[in-house]
Each structure stands twice: as C-alpha cells, then as structure tokens.
Amino acid sequence: MEHIFFSVLLSLSMAAFAFSCYRRLVLVAIGKHEYRFDQPLARFKEMLVYALGQKRVMSRPFGLNHVVIFWAFLVLAVANLEFLVSGILPGLSFALLPEPLHDALAFLFDICSLAVLIAVAVAAVRRSINPPFPGARTCEAYFILSMIALLMLAFFGMNGALIASGVRTASPFTPVSGIFASLLSSCLAADQLNLAVSVFWWIHAVVLLGFMNYLPYSKHMHILTAIPNVFLRTMGKSNTQPREEFSEGNIFGAATVDQLTWKDLLDSFSCTECGRCHDSCPAAATGKALNPREVLHAIKENLLQNGTVLEKLAGDAQAERAVSLIGEGKKGATPESALWSCTSCGACMEACPVFIEHLPKIVKMRRHLVQMEAKFPDELLNLFENMEQRSNPWGMAPSERSKWSSQLELRPFVAGETEYLLFLGCSGAFDARNKQVSVALTRVLDAAGVSYGVLGREEKCCGESVRRLGNEYLFDLMARESVAQFREKGVTKVITQCPHCYNTLKNDFRQFGLELEVLHHSELIAGFLASGELQLEGKMEELGNLVLHDSCYLGRHNDVYQPPRSVVQAVTGTAAGEMERNLDKAFCCGAGGGRMWLEEHEGTPINRARVAEALALKPDTICVSCPFCMTMFEDGVKEVPGAGVQVKDLAELVAQALPKTSK
C-alpha cells in the first residue's frame, strides 16, 4: 500500500515540479530575440570548465565549500534516483549490482552525504558570522540549508536503521551509516527499529520531493538554470553593446521586462545571490545606490509580477500594462541613481560564477532614460551638446585639436605611406595634463622608428562615453562618421593611448563593418622593447617605489595585463608594485561608463578610495595607462596633503628612460 501511495505522491510531485519550472521558464520567452547558439563546441567546453568544473567559484577561498556541495549533490543525484525508483519498485535497487560495485557506490554515497552535511554546517556558520553580503541572513537561506541537512540526516538514519535491524549487513564501506546504526541500536528496541526505517524513509522522501518543488520558487532556481546560462554566455569579453535600429515607432532601450532579451531574463533566474558582484562593484563599495545583485533581483521580481500578464498581451496593450524596471522605492525596479552610478568597469561580470551580464542591462535602462524620456543628470546636457556639435566633451573648436603638437613635426596620415594612425583621442588632444602624455608617446614612437601619422584637426571623438551613458543615437551618428572617415583615408592600423578609444575602435566599430588592428601604446612599446627595436638608457631609479594601476577597459574588458608590467620592468629593472586589487580584480578609478563627466554626490568618491589603496603601499610614483585614470589619480592625490606622489603615464616613463640623443 505504501508503494502505491508513494507512486501517486511522486507522480503529483513531478507534475507540480514540471509545471512550476514551465511557468517560470516560459516567462523568459517574453524577452526579445537574441542568438546565443554559435560556437557550440566552444560553449560546451566553457560549460565544462566553469559550470561543472566550478572554476570561478573556486577563485575565492569559500568557493571550495560550494564545490563540495555541488559535486556531492551530483553524486547523490544517483543515490536519490535509486531511492525514488525503489520506492515504486522495491526489488529494483543497487543491491542487484555486483558486490564490489555496490560497495564502492555505498562508500561514495556515505562519504558524499557526510561532506554535504559538514559543508552545510560551515555555510550556516559563515552566513551567521560573516555573511557574503548585507541582508544575506534570510529565513529562506536558513530554510534551504536546513532542508539539505535534514535530507542528509534522514539518509544516514534510514541506512543506520536498516543496518541496526539486520536488513543490511554492517560494512566498513558505510562508516557514517554504521555510526548511526550503533546509536540507533543503543536507543531503540528491536521492534522499534523497523518503525525507524519507515520514519526515516518517509522523512527523506517528503524532504526530497518538497525541496524539489520549492526550488522553482526560491533563489535556488539557479540549480536548474546556471549550467545552461554558462553555455549561453557571451563568448569572449562583453566589451561592446548591441546596436539599435533608429526608425519611426521603435522603442529604444529597456524600461520593461519584455524590452530586455530572453537571455537577460534567464540571467535573472540564474543569479545565485552569492554577493560577489556586490563585493566587486566600486560604486557599491563607496556607498552609492548601485548593487548589481539587486539589479538582477529587481528584474526577476518584475518578471514574476508582470510576466504572466505581458505574455498574454501584445503591442500597445502590452506597453500600457507593463510595469517599469526603473523607479524609486518600487518593488521590481532599480532607482535611477543606481543606474547612473555604474562605471561600466565590468568587475561584477568578471566576478560572477555563472557569467551573468549586469552591465548590458544597466546600459539598456540608461538608453531608455536618455532616448525615450530625456531624463539624465544635468551635467550630461552640455556633454551631449558638445559631442554632437564639436565632437569633443569640452566643446572646444576642432582647430584646437592639433595645437598640442604645434611644436612637433608630425606628419598627417597618408594611406600607403604611413603604417599606423596615431589616434590621440579627446583627452590626449585637449586635456592639459594628457597633452604631455601625447608628446611623450610621439618621442617614444620616433625613437622606435614607427611609421605613423595623425589626423590633426580632422580627428573626431570616437563616442565611447556617450554610448556607455545610453545616448546610442548620438553614438551611432558619431561612429558612422568616424568609420566613413577611416575608410576614406585607408586606415587599417591604429595606435591609441586611451583604453576607452582602444575598446571602441577595436570592438564597437566592428558592428559598423570596420575591422581595424588596434594597439594600445603599452602593447606596442612592450613589443618594441622585447624585440630590441627600442633601447633605453638605463634603469630609472629616480622613479622610486612605483605602483601600477590597471585600467578597466584595457585589462578586464580586453585582457591586456602583461604589456604594462613588461614596460615597467624594462624601465625600472624591477617588477611594478601591485595593489591589493589588481589584474582582473582591479578596482576602478571611477571615470568609466561616462562617470568622467559626472560629479559623485553619494558616498565616497571612487578615485579617493583607489588612491588610498595605492598610497597604502607608500609609492613615489603611481603609473597609469589611461587618460581618464590619469585625471582621477591626479585629482585624488591632490586631496591628500603631503602625499608627494607623482602620477605618470606609461609612455612618460619610457620617454624619460630614452637615451638622451632620442629625447
């Protein structure tokens, strides 16, 4: 009779589970189309490494605890499958297997169950004493941990009772179950042991089926979606944004869940709420409203609240009933102040174990605010006007763009005669401090015998900042103009000193059909030093203790980490000093995502936090490789009385180390 009852219970549970998953995942289809199935073999490999291999999870010390639970659960899935099958057909179990194989499985299940029990206890203690993020001590979290622990204890109780009652033979291959058998034998009479088997069996069954049906309604939905989410990740770096089609009647950006893509919505279900994105975010770390984890959580809440209605509607009706993703103090919405706090540094995406893409969603919501509602910080009005009218952030006359080189004999770029275009960018041409970097870079290029030319007053802003700020329409105009100019002049190879220009010319312009070989000056100089084409006079000891800062758009967005370090090593004779947060975990200077043109009105300025991290190493020189970083560090150092630290660009270090005849 019990087997019949369990068969009915299992059938109902499986049906309920399937329906719950369907109701959740069908909402993903509300999102816009996006193709994520190219390079299937590469995607499968990435899935093995990052989802099954848990590579990113293990990048932090506590990640090992999650790996134990993850892999033990994969093993125990086999044991639970046998449990469910034998509940319907009692004669069908692993006892039918050859004894050596049966003993091996029994030992594996016993040890894995113990490992999970210990890992769950560690997770509960950690969440209580040192939670992964503020607000992590939730009833749901403790409930899930309790269910997992109860499942393991019921497994040991059931097997222990079977051994104690004589149904199973005590074996060294089930050491933990054997301990439970001894405890039960000492506590229960012989006639009570059979009852204990039944009680523990049903506890295991109810908890297992209950946990399974609770999953779709909890944050542990990621158990079902995380592995596919890794398979469907953006291959390579997420260092560009999708284009928009500008035609009458189109909606730009995203203000409702149906205006995001289906992958954006799948991301919201895949969030493990581990808090790593929050820990890595410079805005969150300095007291801003932005919390990348909360952005994903708001999208999920909004989808669950409104998705069922939206999937039944279409067109205008859908738009009227949609509830905005953007708003202050509303459930399922992200505050505007949080969206404008993002520096687009990509630290959240680099830290995420399941490759959730936070930044594209933030940019899409910015696009809606800028292009559909004309709502953006007041400081950006002048920026947008200056970019549109004079193609630079300050609104300087185009004739001013070439004045930085008035004392130099620079040649204009000529296709067929000049190999490289030296693209200075707006900071390199207009900003007083970064003009010095431009001069230093030309000296280095001349010393290395590089064939290069400039566009002079014809050079235009690449539009990187306006794209990250959400003004895609203006970026589209600027990019089309620049792409047409590059094609007309026959530009194929470009040198930049700005990582933001580097990223735009290399990655964004590909969307407009222009393939360029783009080199950041650190890459070019490192190559010349390694080949011996560029000779230095000696080791620059006067630079003293030198600390290196990684630019987000050079490093995290484009994986250029080693060239700056190689150049510093060549110039100083010693390795660069490294801040605590460096390489792919480097902390942003605060200028990315268009924040260069915005004041910080909340919390601590990001550049001040990064400068403090650098000054903790007592440097004489802070080395940067980005005009924005130069500005942010110089401003930050000036705020520290008596710091006595010089901020130098990589090109300036090399120019200073050139033989006197080359200077």
Side-chain angles (χ1 to χ4, degrees):
M1 189 67 180
E2 279 190 344
H3 304 309
I4 296 173
F5 178 73
F6 178 72
S7 298
V8 173
L9 179 62
L10 177 60
S11 299
L12 292 175
S13 296
M14 294 297 290
F17 173 70
F19 180 75
S20 297
C21 290
Y22 170 77
R23 291 306 307 146
R24 286 288 188 266
L25 296 178
V26 75
L27 297 177
V28 171
I30 293 173
K32 292 182 176 180
H33 171 73
E34 183 177 15
Y35 187 68
R36 291 278 184 144
F37 299 96
D38 58 319
Q39 306 178 58
L41 292 179
R43 290 182 179 279
F44 185 73
K45 179 182 176 182
E46 296 282 278
M47 185 183 71
L48 293 178
V49 172
Y50 290 101
L52 297 179
Q54 301 272 284
K55 183 177 179 179
R56 279 194 175 180
V57 174
M58 290 192 292
S59 66
R60 298 193 182 185
F62 193 77
L64 180 61
N65 201 65
H66 185 277
V67 171
V68 169
I69 296 175
F70 176 80
W71 274 101
F73 253 93
L74 290 183
V75 173
L76 294 177
V78 179
N80 286 321
L81 180 61
E82 184 224 21
F83 175 84
L84 296 175
V85 171
S86 63
I88 302 171
L89 303 170
L92 194 59
S93 72
F94 287 146
L96 300 175
L97 295 173
E99 188 173 342
L101 181 56
H102 176 266
D103 289 344
L105 288 173
F107 179 76
L108 193 59
F109 297 154
D110 224 47
I111 296 303
C112 284
S113 298
L114 177 63
V116 169
L117 196 57
I118 294 171
V120 164
V122 171
V125 171
R126 185 237 186 173
R127 191 168 290 268
S128 301
I129 297 175
N130 183 29
F133 59 87
R137 299 188 188 98
T138 63
C139 293
E140 181 191 24
Y142 288 112
F143 176 66
I144 290 172
L145 291 174
S146 299
M147 288 185 77
I148 296 173
L150 185 57
L151 196 62
M152 299 304 108
L153 291 172
F155 172 83
F156 287 130
M158 176 179 63
N159 286 322
L162 287 170
I163 294 171
S165 63
V167 175
R168 288 186 185 170
T169 305
S171 168
F173 295 102
T174 53
V176 184
S177 296
I179 294 172
F180 273 75
S182 300
L183 292 173
L184 291 172
S185 295
S186 63
C187 298
L188 301 176
D191 59 334
Q192 294 175 315
L193 289 173
N194 289 328
L195 177 62
V197 171
S198 182
V199 169
F200 282 120
W201 192 94
W202 276 106
I203 290 174
H204 191 278
V206 170
V207 173
L208 178 61
L209 297 179
F211 183 62
M212 179 180 69
N213 276 280
Y214 181 64
L215 280 182
Y217 301 96
S218 74
K219 69 181 185 119
H220 275 61
M221 179 71 175
H222 75 263
I223 291 176
L224 306 175
T225 58
I227 293 177
N229 203 64
V230 175
F231 179 85
L232 297 166
R233 60 168 288 201
T234 293
M235 297 303 290
K237 293 288 184 177
S238 184
N239 48 24
T240 187
Q241 308 295 330
R243 292 183 65 184
E244 289 182 330
E245 183 181 340
F246 296 99
S247 57
E248 188 176 350
N250 278 6
I251 295 173
F252 308 117
T256 55
V257 287
D258 56 297
Q259 292 166 0
L260 293 170
T261 69
W262 65 264
K263 178 59 171 61
D264 291 328
L265 302 182
L266 183 64
D267 274 354
S268 73
F269 282 129
S270 301
C271 178
T272 67
E273 297 194 26
C274 62
R276 292 190 183 195
C277 57
H278 174 268
D279 289 344
S280 304
C281 177
T286 53
K288 312 296 189 293
L290 179 61
N291 181 337
R293 178 181 56 82
E294 289 293 341
V295 172
L296 267 293
H297 187 66
I299 291 172
K300 181 172 75 172
E301 281 193 325
N302 195 297
L303 180 61
L304 293 176
Q305 288 176 45
N306 309 300
T308 304
V309 174
L310 293 176
E311 69 175 328
K312 297 176 182 177
L313 302 173
D316 295 338
Q318 190 180 66
E320 290 173 8
R321 296 291 296 274
V323 177
S324 181
L325 287 165
I326 308 167
E328 301 287 337
K330 296 191 301 183
K331 187 177 181 181
T334 298
E336 290 180 27
S337 57
L339 298 176
W340 294 117
S341 296
C342 179
T343 68
S344 74
C345 69
C348 51
M349 296 188 294
E350 193 71 32
C352 182
V354 294
F355 290 86
I356 286 170
E357 296 159 21
H358 313 72
L359 175 56
K361 299 166 185 53
I362 291 173
V363 172
K364 287 172 186 176
M365 287 186 266
R366 282 183 173 184
R367 286 181 177 182
H368 171 83
L369 291 172
V370 173
Q371 298 177 141
M372 299 299 293
E373 298 187 25
K375 291 176 66 177
F376 45 81
D378 293 339
E379 302 120 291
L380 295 182
L381 182 58
N382 283 338
L383 174 72
F384 292 155
E385 288 179 348
N386 291 337
M387 288 289 204
E388 185 173 8
Q389 295 170 9
R390 296 200 165 185
S391 195
N392 69 80
W394 299 280
M396 305 284 282
S399 59
E400 298 288 314
R401 192 177 278 274
S402 60
K403 285 191 175 181
W404 70 273
S405 61
S406 59
Q407 303 302 312
L408 303 175
E409 296 180 3
L410 296 185
R411 295 191 310 162
F413 178 86
V414 179
E417 298 179 16
T418 314
E419 184 177 6
Y420 290 98
L421 166 66
L422 175 58
F423 189 87
L424 273 300
C426 299
S427 292
F430 293 113
D431 180 74
R433 177 64 184 89
N434 283 294
K435 286 179 185 179
Q436 299 172 35
V437 178
S438 299
V439 172
L441 178 56
T442 61
R443 289 175 177 169
V444 174
L445 297 178
D446 288 339
V450 179
S451 170
Y452 71 95
V454 296
L455 295 177
R457 67 180 62 189
E458 292 184 80
E459 185 178 292
K460 303 178 185 302
C461 178
C462 68
E464 187 273 341
S465 287
V466 296
R467 183 169 225 200
R468 269 68 194 176
L469 285 166
N471 196 338
E472 182 68 12
Y473 178 75
L474 178 54
F475 171 76
D476 192 86
L477 292 176
M478 297 175 73
R480 288 176 185 273
E481 194 172 349
S482 291
V483 167
Q485 182 190 51
F486 279 30
R487 283 177 173 155
E488 180 187 348
K489 291 189 174 292
V491 176
T492 57
K493 296 182 179 181
V494 183
I495 301 167
T496 72
Q497 66 189 61
C498 175
H500 297 266
C501 297
Y502 172 87
N503 185 70
T504 297
L505 300 180
K506 182 177 181 178
N507 301 311
D508 290 337
F509 280 13
R510 283 180 182 167
Q511 297 176 333
F512 296 81
L514 182 65
E515 292 280 348
L516 295 171
E517 180 186 332
V518 187
L519 291 172
H520 184 258
H521 69 50
S522 63
E523 296 177 290
L524 193 71
I525 294 171
F528 284 135
L529 289 171
S531 66
E533 294 174 78
L534 184 63
Q535 297 293 324
L536 303 182
E537 188 173 58
K539 308 306 179 186
M540 301 297 294
E541 296 179 359
E542 60 265 36
L543 295 171
N545 179 25
L546 185 147
V547 171
L548 181 69
H549 165 74
D550 286 289
S551 160
C552 300
Y553 270 77
L554 189 61
R556 218 167 6 243
H557 283 298
N558 287 286
D559 274 337
V560 180
Y561 294 111
Q562 192 53 44
R565 286 165 172 78
S566 299
V567 173
V568 169
Q569 177 83 39
V571 171
T572 65
T574 58
E578 299 282 3
M579 286 185 252
E580 181 180 354
R581 291 174 287 194
N582 57 39
L583 299 170
D584 60 340
K585 296 179 179 63
F587 196 74
C588 182
C589 74
R595 292 294 317 178
M596 178 72 180
W597 320 109
L598 292 167
E599 295 295 328
E600 294 189 50
H601 302 292
E602 293 181 285
T604 304
I606 294 172
N607 70 320
R608 193 179 298 171
R610 185 58 165 168
V611 166
E613 187 175 351
L615 294 181
L617 298 175
K618 303 187 184 310
D620 300 297
T621 304
I622 298 174
C623 179
V624 299
S625 51
C626 170
F628 288 4
C629 296
M630 172 68 78
T631 300
M632 302 306 279
F633 268 89
E634 289 230 317
D635 288 351
V637 167
K638 288 174 185 175
E639 294 177 0
V640 182
V645 178
Q646 59 181 344
V647 183
K648 293 278 191 179
D649 185 88
L650 207 66
E652 293 180 302
L653 301 186
V654 179
Q656 193 174 339
L658 289 174
K660 291 182 174 54
T661 55
S662 300
K663 296 181 181 180

